[in-house]
């Protein structure tokens, strides 16, 4: 029996089921792609916040990654929460050893509260080790500001940041626009070596949980399905918009959890 192509998420676990590997695996399944996971951090969290974090030993993380590559045909790897420089180096070592076809890097660096999640040495490791391995980098505005050490206050600054981000080493960049006030629309900006695009959607007054995780994992799933990178990114932004619109509130918090499977229905 021929093996189907799988997508691997290397990210943190969300006990509340709205973000992290839980959102990634739901997204892979919604796209009919087999999902694999290597857990970088265990979080105790719900729709109102994070109460505890545990980072497993990096040797165990590497064992998870090795197990996945030894048995599955991995078409794309999605990277999410990488809690420390040690974790980043371990992941980079594994990616350099296995050389997957596509790497989607969601640089989880800033919490919704605005708190910075990466120390300086981890940020340096992310820039130096992971960006050159990335097929596409998917930062939001606060994360892009950290990567560039520059303020992004308006659309013109976002246009300039898109080019500066790509110069850091990734093959392509999808700069998410949800944090930028550009009127009634959200504009996500895409650039690779030969093209630039803008993906626009109506702004919704909804606080979605796990949107960044879902976007990156949808791109990874689309790449596994054979889409060209610009199309994979465009379709992923459409998918996230619809998943937010159809989302629901399972907890007592104000955030909405995305409807991963409803977003794929006609």
């Amino acid at each position: 029996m021929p093996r189907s192509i799988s997508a691997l998420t290397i990210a943190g676990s969300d006990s509340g089921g709205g973000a992290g590997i839980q959102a990634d695996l739901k997204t892979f399944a919604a796209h009919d792609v087999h999902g694999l996971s290597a857990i970088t951090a265990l979080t105790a969290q719900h729709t109102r916040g994070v109460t505890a974090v545990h980072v497993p030993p990096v040797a165990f993380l590497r064992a998870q990654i090795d197990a996945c590559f030894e048995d599955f045909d991995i078409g794309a790897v999605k990277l999410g929460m990488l809690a420390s420089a040690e974790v980043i180096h371990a992941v980079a070592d594994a990616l350099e050893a296995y050389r997957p076809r596509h790497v989607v890097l969601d640089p989880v660096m800033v919490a919704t509260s605005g708190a910075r999640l990466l120390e300086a040495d981890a940020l340096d490791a992310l820039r130096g080790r992971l960006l050159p391995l990335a097929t596409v980098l998917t930062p939001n505005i606060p994360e892009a500001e950290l990567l560039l050490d520059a303020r992004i206050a308006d659309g013109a600054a976002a246009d300039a940041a898109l080019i500066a981000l790509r110069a850091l080493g990734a093959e392509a960049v999808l700069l998410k626009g949800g944090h930028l006030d550009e009127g009634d629309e959200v504009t996500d900006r895409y650039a690779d070596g030969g093209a630039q695009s803008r993906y626009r959607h109506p702004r919704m007054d909804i606080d979605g949980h796990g949107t960044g995780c879902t976007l990156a994992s949808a791109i990874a799933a689309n790449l596994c399905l054979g889409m060209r990178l610009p199309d994979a990114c465009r379709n992923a932004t459409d998918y996230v918009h619809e998943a937010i619109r159809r989302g629901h509130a399972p907890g007592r918090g104000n955030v909405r959890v995305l409807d991963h499977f409803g977003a794929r229905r006609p």
Side-chain angles (χ1 to χ4, degrees):
M1 181 181 297
R3 293 183 300 170
S4 59
I5 295 178
S6 301
L8 168 63
T9 171
I10 303 176
S13 170
D14 172 8
S15 58
I21 64 159
Q22 285 80 359
D24 298 337
L25 293 174
K26 290 175 189 176
T27 301
F28 296 157
H31 287 75
D32 296 321
V33 172
H34 181 65
L36 314 170
S37 63
I39 300 175
T40 61
L42 303 168
T43 70
Q45 66 174 292
H46 41 53
T47 59
R48 291 172 289 167
V50 179
T51 60
V53 177
H54 172 69
V55 179
V58 293
F60 183 71
L61 171 60
R62 179 60 189 259
Q64 295 176 78
I65 297 171
D66 289 343
C68 290
F69 275 100
E70 287 167 4
D71 193 44
F72 299 93
D73 184 1
I74 296 174
V77 174
K78 179 261 180 176
L79 304 180
M81 179 183 179
L82 306 176
S84 67
E86 185 183 23
V87 169
I88 290 170
H89 285 300
V91 170
D93 289 344
L95 295 179
E96 289 172 350
Y98 291 109
R99 293 290 173 179
R101 279 163 275 183
H102 300 290
V103 175
V104 182
L105 174 55
D106 179 20
V108 181
M109 301 159 58
V110 183
T112 303
S113 64
R116 179 169 168 169
L117 300 178
L118 284 186
E119 298 298 327
D121 62 339
L123 180 56
D124 290 342
L126 187 147
R127 285 197 190 104
R129 296 293 311 277
L130 292 182
L131 281 175
L133 301 174
T135 305
V136 58
L137 172 72
T138 65
N140 60 29
I141 295 297
E143 289 160 351
E145 290 177 332
L146 267 181
L147 283 168
L148 297 173
D149 194 22
R151 182 92 168 93
I152 304 172
D154 52 31
D159 290 338
L162 182 66
I163 305 306
L165 285 165
R166 190 170 175 276
L168 295 178
E171 178 181 332
V173 175
L174 179 62
L175 176 59
K176 298 175 288 192
H179 289 79
L180 197 62
D181 185 2
E182 296 186 270
D184 295 333
E185 290 186 325
V186 173
T187 300
D188 300 313
R189 292 166 165 84
Y190 171 87
D192 57 30
Q196 290 190 38
S197 302
R198 295 189 181 193
Y199 311 138
R200 293 185 173 90
H201 297 88
R203 184 176 292 276
M204 295 180 285
D205 187 19
I206 296 171
D207 185 7
H209 183 49
T211 55
C213 306
T214 300
L215 177 67
S217 54
I219 295 170
N222 287 334
L223 291 171
C224 286
L225 295 172
M227 286 189 189
R228 295 173 56 250
L229 184 54
D231 297 329
C233 290
R234 179 187 297 277
N235 285 12
T237 64
D238 292 343
Y239 171 75
V240 170
H241 177 80
E242 185 64 13
I244 296 171
R245 190 184 71 80
R246 292 174 178 253
H248 58 287
R252 294 186 176 89
N254 294 323
V255 298
R256 184 177 296 190
V257 173
L258 278 58
D259 183 351
H260 296 83
F261 295 95
R264 294 282 287 175
R265 298 189 192 111

